Amino acid sequence: MKGNFIYYNPTKLYFGTDAINGLDKELPNYGKNILLVYGGGSIKKNGIYDATLDFLKKHNKTVFEDSGVMPNPTYKKMLNGIALVKKHKIDFILAVGGGSVVDYAKAVAELAYEEGDLWDRFFVKCEPIVGKLVPFGCILTMVGTGSEMNGGSVITNEQLKIKDAIMVGPEGFPKFSILNPEYTFSVPKYQMLAGIFDIFSHILEQYMSEGGDSTSDYIAEGLMRSLIYSSLIAKDNPTNYEARANIMWISTWALNTLISKGKSGDWNVHNIAHGVAAHIDSTHGMTLASVSLAYYRHILNKGLHQFKRFAINVWGVSEKGKSDLEIANEGLKAFEKYMQDLGLILSLKELGAKESGISDYVASTDLSNNGFTATTPKDHEKILLESM
Amino acid sequence: MKGNFIYYNPTKLYFGTDAINGLDKELPNYGKNILLVYGGGSIKKNGIYDATLDFLKKHNKTVFEDSGVMPNPTYKKMLNGIALVKKHKIDFILAVGGGSVVDYAKAVAELAYEEGDLWDRFFVKCEPIVGKLVPFGCILTMVGTGSEMNGGSVITNEQLKIKDAIMVGPEGFPKFSILNPEYTFSVPKYQMLAGIFDIFSHILEQYMSEGGDSTSDYIAEGLMRSLIYSSLIAKDNPTNYEARANIMWISTWALNTLISKGKSGDWNVHNIAHGVAAHIDSTHGMTLASVSLAYYRHILNKGLHQFKRFAINVWGVSEKGKSDLEIANEGLKAFEKYMQDLGLILSLKELGAKESGISDYVASTDLSNNGFTATTPKDHEKILLESM
């Protein structure tokens, strides 16, 4: 475990088929005015909306609604949410939905009492938050983003064509998250698969970076093995509770800061995908899937030790009589086969991207230099071209 | 992930060579009167005592000392600590030492404002704590117990010859823990190895129990693989920072409730070892080592699927042409060889136990029935005899 760090994650997780009863313990801790945040209304069809309202009524809350959160929540929508918080003197924000809904609620909760140009201050300059934070919690209905136990929130600035994240410390984490695997049963298969790959990518972004011999890598390998096993079950049997429960749990632990400890972290797959998604509004997990293989092939030589390890410990590639490069390549091939078996979209074109748009995607991308090697805009163009 | 559960762990961990600077952030959060708890005084030789006092002085704290905490802290000592807390109106308890010191401080912090026969109420009847909890934190100098991020505390009742644990919820967890791997460099080798096996045993107690296909098992396997790798380095090079840092981190995550989620948990190896240690005051980790193999051989048939998995995923046993039983046995053999290579004590006799004492050890043991199979006192006698 390299370096000095603080681990602190005070989000309380209620997990299982009766998780929603956690609201009985949590709601009394907060004031009367609740902002209920949700998306397109699927929660009205599957009964989660009614169940949630029952709890809010039981605890005598005054409910204000903020619905219509879109898959890639926009900065404009966020500003509107902030206005609602101020107008109704909101005491607590309850997000009911997937990662986009939680990300949106989190950004509203964190930035509600900040002044000035919020995009410039918090997304561009990454200033620390000084204003009052509105406490918030979530009822998760779709998994993948890990937003239920961290301080990250991804928002799309439609005007500037940039998708960017704010990262806030534990004071900005959800106070609690309600995780009932059954709530994810009705998610359309395409979204389920995209969420599964989002989880995989979160693990890889941390795993495929420097850190020496770190326990974080061993935990990450365990999470990946469990994800591979459960995702292939869920693909054919989306209502298999055991598989969906494991996937939900892995999603949370993939991005709640644990496996980042001692690691440099890369995040270029996300950066590249965000650059594309700022223009084509593609599903996040599928965009990640489309660019991952080209990116990892591009950096494989620089991170050979880790790609070799990935092949052996995650994919069970045998070492006998092979060079490190052969082992590493075999691992990537097994990864590719898994992605195909799962039915992920592995081409940006299928998602609506165009070769003529590459320069725009590159211009919208903020590349990091924390991975095995720095990537230039030229590398980035090549990776996008290969991902088409 | 079977069942309904809550995961909530609000302990803040400061990790790394500058971890002690975390005191600058933490001490201002608490009142003036500090109870400084430590053991036999080794912290005065290695400079950690002086460094700690400097921080306490800098933050204008009034320091009361409670030293001489023994390796298996006694109930009598605990009652004495509680008297000190009340006498000096202690606002915060700071434990500096290993697991025994932290366990002791935790028990004092949790039970300080309870009335009546504390042993009967909290160790025997496991009543919920209703009195005020004294906040506490720790500076860890020895690893193994995992006490730095949970609510468990093991206390020995010398009069009744029983070693038992209280388990308190997150409100009784340390507020913070200072984890500097370098502080563990000067721990005598025997204690270091005992601590390493204590960690291994914590993982196995959870892993070797029911839970279906659970992500917790995959994480546990990662922790065990990392522990095996780092412990064999630390055995020969106790000042290898990377290895000691990984071991410290694994120790915390082995017993902070994470890998227990979705698992029934067994804990009979600990129960059996506690029964022995109530009579012979042996080092905890070595006592666990001495009884583990006989216990696991005893339950192997009932948990064959998990022992097979242990063999393959933790010890790399190949499956080809072997029965499940052969694979499982090969795994236990690899485990035994590792224990021998590490230099653990694998005989209760070497620790001072006697065959003539077995009936006493059995009488002091509280066997659980959460593992793969219930064990009777008769089984227990057999296991102890084999462990001699």
Side-chain angles (χ1 to χ4, degrees):
Chain A
M1 304 301 296
K2 275 195 196 305
N4 290 291
F5 60 80
I6 296 170
Y7 176 89
Y8 178 48
N9 197 325
T11 300
K12 191 182 282 190
L13 304 175
Y14 291 89
F15 194 94
T17 52
D18 81 350
I20 200 166
N21 293 328
L23 290 177
D24 278 334
K25 289 186 189 165
E26 296 300 325
L27 291 176
N29 299 330
Y30 305 99
K32 204 171 171 56
N33 295 341
I34 308 288
L35 189 68
L36 183 65
V37 173
Y38 57 98
S42 63
I43 60 165
K44 290 196 176 167
K45 286 175 213 143
N46 57 26
I48 301 173
Y49 175 84
D50 288 336
T52 305
L53 269 195
D54 284 347
F55 277 95
L56 291 168
K57 275 182 207 158
K58 183 172 152 191
H59 291 277
N60 293 311
K61 303 295 186 183
T62 306
V63 180
F64 300 90
E65 299 212 358
D66 182 9
S67 66
V69 179
M70 55 291 278
N72 289 308
T74 64
Y75 182 60
K76 194 177 157 195
K77 173 85 178 161
M78 186 200 87
L79 293 177
N80 187 56
I82 287 175
L84 287 174
V85 165
K86 287 176 171 165
K87 182 179 170 194
H88 300 300
K89 298 190 174 63
I90 293 299
D91 296 307
F92 189 81
I93 302 176
L94 183 59
V96 186
S100 299
V101 170
V102 181
D103 270 21
Y104 167 78
K106 192 186 287 177
V108 170
E110 290 171 343
L111 301 179
Y113 293 96
E114 296 293 346
E115 303 294 333
D117 180 340
L118 301 184
W119 186 265
D120 185 58
R121 287 186 60 200
F122 300 102
F123 292 85
V124 180
K125 292 180 185 148
C126 301
E127 288 183 22
I129 286 167
V130 291
K132 187 177 79 176
L133 292 153
V134 183
F136 78 104
C138 75
I139 299 173
L140 207 63
T141 62
M142 208 189 298
V143 308
T145 69
S147 196
E148 64 275 15
M149 205 189 188
N150 66 38
S153 168
V154 178
I155 297 293
T156 299
N157 190 318
E158 287 179 305
Q159 209 181 344
L160 301 177
K161 294 273 182 211
I162 292 179
K163 198 172 170 181
D164 216 334
I166 42 168
M167 289 290 166
V168 179
E171 67 283 1
F173 288 16
K175 298 297 175 196
F176 64 83
S177 293
I178 305 285
L179 306 178
N180 181 345
E182 289 179 343
Y183 289 179
T184 70
F185 284 2
S186 59
V187 170
K189 191 165 177 177
Y190 185 85
Q191 301 300 335
M192 176 187 81
L193 296 175
I196 287 168
F197 194 76
D198 195 13
I199 302 169
F200 213 122
S201 182
H202 291 157
I203 302 172
L204 279 181
E205 296 274 22
Q206 298 164 88
Y207 180 80
M208 287 298 181
S209 70
E210 299 293 356
D213 177 63
S214 165
T215 299
S216 288
D217 284 342
Y218 295 81
I219 299 173
E221 286 163 356
L223 293 176
M224 285 188 276
R225 290 165 65 106
S226 186
L227 182 61
I228 293 162
Y229 186 82
S230 289
S231 60
L232 292 171
I233 293 171
K235 182 194 82 167
D236 296 321
N237 299 293
T239 59
N240 180 304
Y241 181 86
E242 192 171 60
R244 298 305 290 273
N246 286 336
I247 293 168
M248 191 168 217
W249 194 238
I250 297 162
S251 179
T252 301
W253 288 89
L255 199 58
N256 69 357
T257 81
L258 175 63
I259 63 167
S260 75
K261 299 306 178 191
K263 300 288 294 181
S264 65
D266 185 346
W267 296 103
N268 264 342
V269 169
H270 272 67
N271 291 333
I272 294 170
H274 285 175
V276 175
H279 295 268
I280 65 166
D281 204 29
S282 49
T283 298
H284 177 58
M286 293 302 184
T287 322
L288 295 170
S290 290
V291 303
S292 286
L293 288 164
Y295 179 72
Y296 287 125
R297 279 189 203 112
H298 179 77
I299 65 164
L300 180 132
N301 271 300
K302 304 283 182 175
L304 193 57
H305 61 288
Q306 196 72 359
F307 281 95
K308 180 186 171 187
R309 181 181 173 148
F310 178 59
I312 296 166
N313 294 345
V314 178
W315 300 104
V317 171
S318 83
E319 298 180 70
K320 258 183 211 165
K322 293 172 198 161
S323 71
D324 286 358
L325 186 62
E326 284 168 333
I327 296 165
N329 273 318
E330 222 177 286
L332 274 194
K333 265 185 205 131
F335 182 39
E336 184 170 15
K337 184 179 179 304
Y338 162 76
M339 290 167 82
Q340 287 163 346
D341 288 349
L342 209 53
L344 300 173
I345 309 293
L346 299 178
S347 142
L348 279 180
K349 266 191 191 146
E350 265 190 66
L351 294 173
K354 288 176 182 149
E355 282 185 28
S356 59
I358 287 183
S359 57
D360 287 340
Y361 310 152
V362 173
S364 292
T365 303
D366 204 7
L367 287 170
S368 82
N369 293 311
N370 297 322
F372 292 125
T373 179
T375 43
T376 63
K378 208 167 173 61
D379 296 328
H380 184 186
E381 274 179 31
K382 184 175 153 276
I383 291 160
L384 284 173
L385 201 59
E386 277 177 33
S387 304
M388 288 289 161
Chain B
M1 304 301 298
K2 276 198 195 304
N4 289 292
F5 59 80
I6 297 171
Y7 177 89
Y8 177 47
N9 196 325
T11 300
K12 192 183 281 191
L13 304 174
Y14 291 90
F15 194 94
T17 53
D18 82 350
I20 200 166
N21 294 327
L23 290 178
D24 279 333
K25 289 187 190 163
E26 295 300 325
L27 291 176
N29 299 331
Y30 305 98
K32 205 172 169 56
N33 295 342
I34 308 288
L35 189 68
L36 183 64
V37 173
Y38 56 99
S42 64
I43 59 165
K44 290 195 174 167
K45 286 176 210 141
N46 57 25
I48 300 173
Y49 175 85
D50 288 337
T52 305
L53 269 194
D54 284 349
F55 277 95
L56 291 168
K57 275 180 205 160
K58 185 172 153 190
H59 291 276
N60 293 312
K61 301 296 185 184
T62 306
V63 180
F64 300 91
E65 299 212 358
D66 182 10
S67 66
V69 179
M70 55 291 280
N72 289 309
T74 65
Y75 182 60
K76 194 177 156 193
K77 173 85 180 161
M78 187 200 87
L79 293 176
N80 187 56
I82 287 176
L84 286 175
V85 165
K86 287 176 170 166
K87 181 179 170 191
H88 300 301
K89 298 190 172 65
I90 293 300
D91 296 306
F92 189 81
I93 302 176
L94 184 58
V96 186
S100 299
V101 170
V102 181
D103 270 20
Y104 167 79
K106 192 186 286 176
V108 170
E110 290 171 344
L111 301 179
Y113 292 96
E114 295 294 346
E115 303 294 334
D117 181 340
L118 302 184
W119 187 264
D120 185 59
R121 288 186 59 199
F122 301 100
F123 291 86
V124 180
K125 292 181 186 146
C126 302
E127 288 182 21
I129 286 167
V130 290
K132 186 177 80 176
L133 291 153
V134 182
F136 77 103
C138 75
I139 300 174
L140 207 63
T141 62
M142 209 187 298
V143 307
T145 69
S147 196
E148 64 274 14
M149 204 186 189
N150 65 38
S153 168
V154 178
I155 298 293
T156 299
N157 190 319
E158 287 179 304
Q159 211 181 340
L160 302 177
K161 295 274 182 207
I162 292 180
K163 198 173 170 181
D164 217 333
I166 42 169
M167 289 289 167
V168 179
E171 66 284 359
F173 288 15
K175 297 297 175 194
F176 63 83
S177 293
I178 305 284
L179 307 177
N180 181 345
E182 289 180 343
Y183 288 179
T184 69
F185 285 1
S186 59
V187 170
K189 190 165 176 175
Y190 184 85
Q191 301 299 334
M192 175 186 82
L193 295 175
I196 286 167
F197 194 76
D198 195 13
I199 302 169
F200 213 122
S201 183
H202 290 157
I203 302 172
L204 279 181
E205 296 274 24
Q206 299 163 88
Y207 180 80
M208 287 299 179
S209 71
E210 298 293 356
D213 178 64
S214 164
T215 299
S216 288
D217 284 342
Y218 295 81
I219 300 173
E221 286 163 353
L223 293 176
M224 286 189 274
R225 291 165 65 106
S226 186
L227 182 61
I228 293 162
Y229 186 82
S230 288
S231 61
L232 291 171
I233 293 170
K235 183 195 82 167
D236 296 321
N237 298 292
T239 58
N240 181 304
Y241 181 86
E242 193 171 60
R244 297 305 289 273
N246 286 338
I247 293 168
M248 193 169 216
W249 193 239
I250 296 162
S251 179
T252 301
W253 287 88
L255 198 58
N256 69 357
T257 81
L258 175 64
I259 63 168
S260 74
K261 298 308 178 193
K263 299 288 293 181
S264 64
D266 185 346
W267 295 102
N268 264 341
V269 169
H270 272 67
N271 292 334
I272 294 170
H274 285 175
V276 176
H279 294 269
I280 65 167
D281 204 28
S282 49
T283 298
H284 177 58
M286 293 302 184
T287 321
L288 296 169
S290 291
V291 303
S292 286
L293 289 164
Y295 178 73
Y296 286 124
R297 280 190 202 109
H298 179 77
I299 65 164
L300 182 132
N301 272 300
K302 304 283 182 176
L304 194 56
H305 62 287
Q306 196 73 358
F307 281 95
K308 180 186 171 189
R309 181 179 174 152
F310 179 59
I312 296 166
N313 295 346
V314 178
W315 300 105
V317 172
S318 82
E319 297 180 70
K320 260 185 209 162
K322 293 172 198 158
S323 71
D324 286 358
L325 187 62
E326 284 168 332
I327 296 166
N329 274 317
E330 220 177 289
L332 274 195
K333 267 188 203 129
F335 182 39
E336 184 170 15
K337 186 179 178 304
Y338 161 77
M339 290 168 83
Q340 288 164 344
D341 288 350
L342 210 53
L344 299 173
I345 308 294
L346 298 179
S347 144
L348 278 181
K349 267 194 191 144
E350 265 191 67
L351 294 172
K354 287 177 183 147
E355 283 184 27
S356 60
I358 287 183
S359 57
D360 287 340
Y361 310 154
V362 173
S364 293
T365 303
D366 205 6
L367 288 170
S368 82
N369 294 311
N370 298 321
F372 293 125
T373 179
T375 44
T376 62
K378 209 166 172 62
D379 297 328
H380 184 186
E381 273 179 31
K382 184 176 154 273
I383 291 161
L384 284 173
L385 202 59
E386 278 177 32
S387 305
M388 287 289 160

